[in-house]
Amino acid sequence: MTTRTTTSTTKKAPQKIAALALVAAGSSQRMGGLGKKEYLPLNGGSVLSEAAIVFLKTKLFSTVAVVHPPKGLAAAKKAFYKNSLMAELCAGVNVIFVSGGATRQESVCKALKAIDRSCKKSKTPRAVLIHDGARPFLSQALVKKTLAAALKHGAAVPALEPVETQKEIDAGSKIARHLKRSSLAAVQTPQGFLFPEILEFHKKAAKQNASQAKDRAAAFTDDTEIWDRYSDKKTRVIKGEPQNIKITYPKDLNSIQAREAAADSFCSPNNSAAQKTFRIGLGTDLHRLVAGRPLILGGVILPSDKGEDGHSDGDALLHAITDALLGAAALGDIGSYFPPEDIKWKGADSAKLLKAAWKDVRAAGWRLENLDCVVHLQEPKFLPHRQNVRSSIARVLGVDISQVFVKAKTGERVGLVGQGLVVETKAVCILSR
């Protein structure tokens, strides 16, 4: 008789060998007044919490230093812990909040010193990854590859080959040198380094800046630049990720690349965040067509001898879209937001009304997946104007035109639409968060 022996193996938990410096001390001036980009809502948390979750899921980090603007501790903590997963993921992790400096170099240096101080009574991390708090779409695989390369080579950075041909220009805006894309790299974060070395190099760089009368122009803008300035080891470049974009402008929140990156990462079994929630919204509107009024659809004036009769400018298409978005987010409808009996909305620009409603929808954490509309109109012919209308709607919402579509149907000379008495619109949207 043969006896089978079963050996049970217990998978060892990964060792927490690294620290993370999550840099979010900037002012977000290029976000067009939407607020601090790292604190904007994303997937039930914030941009900052989503970036942190990717690192924390690997269980490789003993310390996380969150660098925030001076006097901004409360807001930083609120954004960092906004996702419900954070409490569990931060168990056993030393989370510290560090007031940033006037430059990125100063902010990172302060974070490294804070990590060092916090580890005096415990084991100093072997390596540190320095990451932009506004890059939430990276993968765990990239985190692990960067850390492994940093441990092996001393320093590592993910990068992508530029898509466009690169040229060096002179002060007179003329081409000074033709560069080869194959020898260039657009670097990303996280940037990884052996911890004791990068801490020492940052201290040296700070002294160098101090000796130059604190000239901000002399500050290093990149941590690999500091490493290469003081180390005899070269920074190892590894393949970056196209979806690892840095949110810089409002359009980045709704770009196709960002949405695809979010979908890939949020729905991945190994990802940082919970499954996305989807909502469908439906909006309809109908206006009489009368002489002496402009025919406005989607913010575009169409050539016609009749236009919508309405309290505002009568843009039936934008009204339907507004209702669809508010309904999907369960925030109300266009009538409750902009009551027709209120004189201040008389003749109002419907694009501005839509923008105001959309701002609230976005503030609630929702992102537009797509918007599909139908215009019921006997005349004029809508097809020649469709692209302009789509572009107009996309601009109002700050999304890519591929997320917006508009179809048109005539009334076949039947009913109120067919007789040219009314224009009717319908809009269906899908939101996610």
Side-chain angles (χ1 to χ4, degrees), residues 165-168 177-181 183-184:
T165 299
Q166 307 290 300
K167 305 291 182 182
E168 181 181 318
R177 193 154 57 102
H178 300 275
L179 307 174
K180 291 184 178 181
R181 282 186 302 172
S183 62
L184 299 175

Side-chain angles (χ1 to χ4, degrees), residues 97-427:
F97 291 83
V98 183
S99 179
T103 64
R104 187 183 189 281
Q105 179 190 332
E106 290 180 29
S107 294
V108 174
C109 187
K110 292 180 74 172
L112 297 177
K113 288 179 178 178
I115 292 170
D116 188 48
R117 287 194 301 271
S118 72
C119 296
K120 291 301 182 185
K121 295 181 181 180
S122 59
K123 192 173 181 180
T124 300
R126 291 173 57 193
V128 61
L129 296 192
I130 302 168
H131 187 63
D132 297 324
R135 289 185 189 266
F137 300 127
L138 75 164
S139 70
Q140 291 182 49
L142 184 63
V143 171
K144 293 175 182 178
K145 285 193 299 182
T146 305
L147 179 56
L151 290 169
K152 182 176 180 180
H153 302 283
V157 59
L160 296 173
E161 181 181 320
V163 175
E164 306 290 350
T165 299
Q166 307 290 300
K167 305 291 182 182
E168 181 181 318
I169 60 174
D170 60 21
S173 297
K174 295 187 175 82
I175 294 177
R177 193 154 57 102
H178 300 275
L179 307 174
K180 291 184 178 181
R181 282 186 302 172
S182 58
S183 62
L184 299 175
V187 299
Q188 304 176 325
T189 67
Q191 298 186 359
F193 308 92
L194 294 175
F195 180 76
E197 285 87 339
I198 193 63
L199 173 61
E200 177 190 350
F201 298 157
H202 255 280
K203 289 178 179 178
K204 288 182 178 180
K207 288 181 180 179
Q208 175 181 317
N209 290 151
S211 68
Q212 296 174 350
K214 296 184 178 180
D215 178 10
R216 289 191 183 183
F220 295 95
T221 58
D222 179 75
D223 300 296
T224 59
E225 188 180 357
I226 292 176
W227 178 272
D228 288 344
R229 171 67 177 80
Y230 297 103
S231 176
D232 57 357
K233 300 176 183 177
K234 292 294 184 181
T235 301
R236 179 75 171 188
V237 177
I238 64 172
K239 187 176 181 181
E241 295 178 335
Q243 74 268 24
N244 184 23
I245 64 168
K246 183 179 181 181
I247 295 173
T248 305
Y249 300 100
K251 65 180 179 62
D252 295 331
L253 291 171
N254 288 290
S255 69
I256 296 174
Q257 188 178 36
R259 291 186 304 107
E260 289 177 347
D264 289 343
S265 61
F266 293 159
C267 299
S268 169
N270 298 319
N271 176 9
S272 60
Q275 186 82 14
K276 286 202 292 185
T277 297
F278 293 90
R279 293 272 188 87
I280 296 175
L282 170 66
T284 66
D285 197 23
L286 181 146
H287 281 265
R288 288 191 304 140
L289 294 175
V290 297
R293 293 271 296 189
L295 177 60
I296 308 174
L297 289 171
V300 176
I301 299 177
L302 275 61
S304 175
D305 57 358
K306 294 191 293 185
E308 299 109 324
D309 184 20
H311 186 63
S312 65
D313 63 8
D315 192 328
L317 181 53
L318 292 190
H319 295 174
I321 292 170
T322 303
D323 259 352
L325 295 171
L326 288 172
L331 293 178
D333 56 39
I334 194 169
S336 62
Y337 257 67
F338 314 107
E341 61 271 14
D342 193 332
I343 190 65
K344 72 179 179 180
W345 305 122
K346 184 172 178 61
D349 183 346
S350 295
K352 292 182 179 179
L353 304 185
L354 175 55
K355 279 185 179 180
W358 179 231
K359 183 177 180 180
D360 284 357
V361 174
R362 289 181 62 189
W366 296 104
R367 184 202 323 276
L368 181 67
E369 294 293 335
N370 80 298
L371 174 68
D372 192 22
C373 310
V374 180
V375 173
H376 297 273
L377 178 69
Q378 185 61 38
E379 54 187 20
K381 292 286 187 181
F382 182 78
L383 186 59
H385 309 286
R386 176 157 65 190
Q387 286 304 102
N388 286 340
V389 171
R390 291 179 66 203
S391 296
S392 174
I393 296 169
R395 281 196 302 271
V396 172
L397 298 177
V399 300
D400 192 87
I401 191 173
S402 66
Q403 295 168 255
V404 178
F405 200 74
V406 184
K407 303 182 290 291
K409 303 289 183 182
T410 69
E412 300 292 343
R413 303 293 175 183
V414 176
L416 295 177
V417 171
Q419 296 174 53
L421 299 176
V422 302
V423 58
E424 185 176 6
T425 58
K426 299 182 179 70

